C-alpha cells in the first residue's frame, strides 16, 4: 500500500507556519556574535541563554552513537512529549482513532484521552504476542496510528519481527514502535530499517538504560519528511540546556552505559533464578527489559506485604491478561538481594 504522508497529517498542521524563535536564525551557536535578539539577561551564569531549539550538538553526538542522520531525529522532554506530538500531528480530535495493544504502556491511552482520540484496544495473545490480522481488522479509514511497544511494558517480551513487519507493510497509517527498553534486548533496533518503511516512527528514551530519567530526554526517529512535520508543532525550547549538556556527557561516555546495561542483564538472570524458588510465584515471564513480570497467588496481598517490608514494586493486576501479576524492576545487587530475602520470608 502506498504511504501518503500529506493525506495523514492534519490539515491545520500542514498549513501551520511554525513559531520562529530568535535562535532559529543562527546555525552557529559558538560564533563570536553579540546576541541582543532574545531579551535575555546578558550576565553569564551558564544558562542565561535560551537553549538551541534544534539541539544540534546533542543530535550530532547521537547521530554518531546511533549511526543515523540528524535529519531523522526529533528530541523531546521525555518520550511522553514526543508521543504527544505524534498524536497532535496526525489525529483529529473526536474523528480519528488509534490502535494500542494491551497489556501495554499506560501513556498511550492517557494521551489518546487527552487528545480526544478513540483508542481501539486489540489485546495481545495469551502468550503476549501480536496478532497482526486481528490488529489490521480493527483499522478503518480514520485509523492514524498503531502503537507497538517492543520490548513491551509490562510484559517484558519483544514481538516477532515478522508480525511487526506485516503491520508495517499492510497498514497505510503510521506505526510507532516504542523502544524504551531496546538496550536490554538482544534484538536489533528498528532504527536500522527506517529507510524500508516510510510509515515507521521509532521512539527511544534516555530514562531507562541510559540512567537519566531525571533529565527528561526522549528521542523520535523517522523519515526526514515525518520529522519536519513534527518539528512544525514542537515547542521551540522543549529540551532545556541542562538536559542537553547532561545527555551529551552520557552519550560520549556510552561505554559506561553499556557496562551498566550488561550488569543489569546479569542481575536480571540472577533475579529470575531466585524468583523461580519462591513458592507463591507460578509464572516468570521472559524479559528483554530491565524488569520481570511474574504471576503470583494473590497480587494485592503480596504487594501490600512487600510495601510493609519497605519494597515498592508495581502491581499490574488491573491490566488485561495480567491478573495477579507483579512487575519487579531489576535493582542494584543489594536491592535485588533484599527483594529475594523478603520474598523468601513471605513464602
Ligand atoms: C518508561 C517508558 C517510557 C519512557 O518515557 P520517558 O517520558 O522518556 O521517561 C516510554 N515508553 C515506555 C513503554 C516506557 O516504559
Amino acid at each position: 500500500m502506498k504511504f501518503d504522508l500529506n493525506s495523514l497529517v492534519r490539515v491545520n498542521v500542514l498549513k501551520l507556519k511554525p513559531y520562529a524563535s530568535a535562535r532559529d536564525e543562527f546555525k552557529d551557536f559558538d560564533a563570536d556574535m553579540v546576541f541582543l535578539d532574545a531579551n535575555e539577561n546578558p550576565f553569564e551564569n551558564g544558562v542565561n541563554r535560551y537553549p538551541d531549539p534544534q539541539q544540534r550538538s546533542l543530535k550530532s553526538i547521537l547521530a554518531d552513537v546511533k549511526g543515523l542522520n540528524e535529519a531523522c531525529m526529533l528530541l523531546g522532554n521525555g518520550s511522553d512529549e514526543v508521543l504527544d506530538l505524534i498524536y497532535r500531528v496526525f489525529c483529529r480530535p473526536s474523528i480519528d482513532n488509534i490502535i494500542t495493544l494491551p497489556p501495554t504502556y499506560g501513556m498511550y491511552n492517557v494521551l489518546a484521552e487527552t487528545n480526544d482520540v478513540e483508542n481501539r484496544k486489540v489485546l495481545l495473545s495469551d502468550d503476549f504476542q501480536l496478532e497482526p490480522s486481528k490488529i489490521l481488522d480493527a483499522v478503518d479509514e480514520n485509523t492514524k496510528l498503531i502503537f507497538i511497544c517492543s520490548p513491551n511494558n509490562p510484559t517484558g517480551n519483544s514481538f516477532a519481527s515478522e508480525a511487526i513487519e506485516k503491520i508495517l507493510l499492510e497498514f497505510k497509517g503510521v506505526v510507532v514502535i516504542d523502544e524504551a527498553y531496546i538496550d536490554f534486548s538482544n534484538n536489533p533496533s528498528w532504527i536500522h530499517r527506517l529507510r524500508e518503511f516510510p510509515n515507521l516512527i521509532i521512539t527511544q528514551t534516555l530514562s531507562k538504560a541510559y540512567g537519566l530519567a531525571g533529565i527528561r530526554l526522549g528521542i523520535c526517529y523517522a523519515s526526514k519528511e515525518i520529522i519536519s512535520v513534527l518539528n512544525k508543532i514542537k515547542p521551540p525550547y522543549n529540551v532545556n540546556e541542562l538536559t542537553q549538556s547532561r545527555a551529551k556527557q552520557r552519550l560520549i561516555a556510552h561505554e559506561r552505559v553499556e557496562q551498566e546495561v550488561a550488569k543489569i542483564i546479569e542481575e536480571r538472570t540472577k533475579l529470575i533464578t531466585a524468583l523461580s524458588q519462591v513458592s507463591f510465584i507460578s509464572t516468570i515471564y521472559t524479559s528483554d527489559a530491565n524488569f520481570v513480570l511474574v504471576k503470583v497467588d494473590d497480587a494485592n496481598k503480596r504487594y501490600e506485604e512487600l510495601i510493609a517490608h519497605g519494597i515498592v514494586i508495581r502491581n499490574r493486576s488491573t491490566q488485561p491478561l495480567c491478573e495477579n501479576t507483579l512487575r519487579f524492576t531489576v535493582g542494584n545487587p543489594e536491592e535485588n538481594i533484599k527483594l529475594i530475602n523478603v520474598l523468601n520470608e513471605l513464602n
Side-chain angles (χ1 to χ4, degrees):
M1 239 176 282
K2 185 95 180 69
F3 177 71
D4 180 7
L5 180 61
N6 285 344
S7 73
L8 289 169
V9 173
R10 287 165 68 191
V11 174
N12 61 308
V13 174
L14 278 180
K15 287 201 291 209
L16 176 156
K17 193 170 170 300
Y19 176 75
S21 70
R23 289 301 133 80
D24 273 328
E25 293 159 32
F26 288 94
K27 300 233 183 301
D28 190 355
F29 263 70
D30 299 323
D32 191 15
M33 304 280 267
V34 174
F35 287 108
L36 303 177
D37 57 334
N39 304 341
E40 296 148 337
N41 177 328
F43 300 106
E44 283 299 333
N45 62 19
V47 287
N48 58 313
R49 300 294 177 183
Y50 278 102
D52 174 5
Q54 278 304 321
Q55 310 99 16
R56 292 179 187 90
S57 59
L58 170 52
K59 278 184 191 161
S60 113
I61 298 169
L62 196 58
D64 281 348
V65 174
K66 299 283 175 179
L68 268 188
N69 190 302
E70 283 108 310
C72 297
M73 300 173 179
L74 177 131
L75 307 185
N77 182 21
S79 9
D80 291 346
E81 180 183 43
V82 167
L83 294 169
D84 188 51
L85 292 175
I86 297 170
Y87 271 91
R88 288 192 285 138
V89 157
F90 293 105
C91 300
R92 293 166 297 175
S94 76
I95 300 172
D96 290 329
N97 66 76
I98 56 109
I99 294 176
T100 62
L101 314 170
T104 194
Y105 185 46
M107 275 310 285
Y108 312 138
N109 190 58
V110 171
L111 291 169
E113 288 184 5
T114 308
N115 288 293
D116 194 14
V117 172
E118 181 199 350
N119 178 7
R120 300 189 166 184
K121 297 175 184 168
V122 179
L123 293 195
L124 298 176
S125 63
D126 290 336
D127 58 351
F128 298 146
Q129 277 297 330
L130 296 183
E131 298 191 277
S133 34
K134 234 170 82 183
I135 295 166
L136 292 164
D137 281 348
V139 170
D140 71 8
E141 71 279 7
N142 293 329
T143 305
K144 294 295 180 69
L145 307 169
I146 299 177
F147 288 90
I148 299 176
C149 183
S150 184
N152 188 37
N153 179 6
T155 61
N157 61 300
S158 303
F159 298 130
S161 58
E162 300 73 27
I164 296 180
E165 193 165 333
K166 182 174 164 70
I167 295 168
L168 278 164
L169 290 171
E170 294 183 25
F171 178 48
K172 65 175 179 12
V174 171
V175 177
V176 181
I177 304 183
D178 184 338
E179 292 189 336
Y181 299 99
I182 193 67
D183 300 280
F184 302 106
S185 165
N186 288 326
N187 296 315
S189 166
W190 284 84
I191 63 171
H192 307 297
R193 302 189 64 185
L194 263 182
R195 254 192 229 136
E196 279 175 68
F197 305 107
N199 60 339
L200 172 58
I201 296 182
I202 297 142
T203 62
Q204 293 183 352
T205 177
L206 298 195
S207 297
K208 307 286 158 62
Y210 278 78
L212 297 177
I215 71 169
R216 312 301 302 127
L217 192 89
I219 309 159
C220 159
Y221 306 96
S223 69
K224 17 184 223 316
E225 291 75 19
I226 293 181
I227 295 295
S228 37
V229 184
L230 288 167
N231 261 319
K232 293 182 86 171
I233 66 162
K234 178 185 85 62
Y237 303 116
N238 64 330
V239 180
N240 72 68
E241 187 61 40
L242 301 173
T243 295
Q244 293 189 40
S245 74
R246 285 298 290 268
K248 284 190 266 187
Q249 279 175 19
R250 190 71 164 155
L251 284 162
I252 288 167
H254 66 94
E255 291 84 8
R256 287 256 293 280
V257 176
E258 283 143 31
Q259 286 160 13
E260 288 175 16
V261 167
K263 186 75 195 151
I264 292 168
I265 292 174
E266 198 183 306
E267 283 296 307
R268 179 180 75 194
T269 307
K270 284 202 259 170
L271 181 64
I272 289 171
T273 308
L275 291 173
S276 66
Q277 309 298 313
V278 177
S279 66
F280 58 82
I281 294 179
S282 56
T283 311
I284 303 167
Y285 296 96
T286 321
S287 174
D288 265 342
N290 64 334
F291 56 82
V292 180
L293 187 77
V294 301
K295 196 181 267 302
V296 298
D297 53 351
D298 182 342
N300 294 336
K301 174 178 150 207
R302 300 304 180 184
Y303 176 82
E304 293 301 334
E305 286 174 344
L306 283 164
I307 293 276
H309 283 83
I311 298 178
V312 184
I313 56 153
R314 204 82 205 265
N315 184 352
R316 295 283 69 190
S317 299
T318 56
Q319 291 265 315
L321 311 176
C322 289
E323 199 189 341
N324 282 319
T325 59
L326 300 175
R327 193 190 69 194
F328 304 115
T329 303
V330 179
N332 66 33
E334 300 75 54
E335 292 169 332
N336 301 332
I337 289 168
K338 175 163 184 189
L339 170 67
I340 289 301
N341 287 344
V342 170
L343 288 172
N344 282 324
E345 257 176 63
L346 301 177
N347 252 336

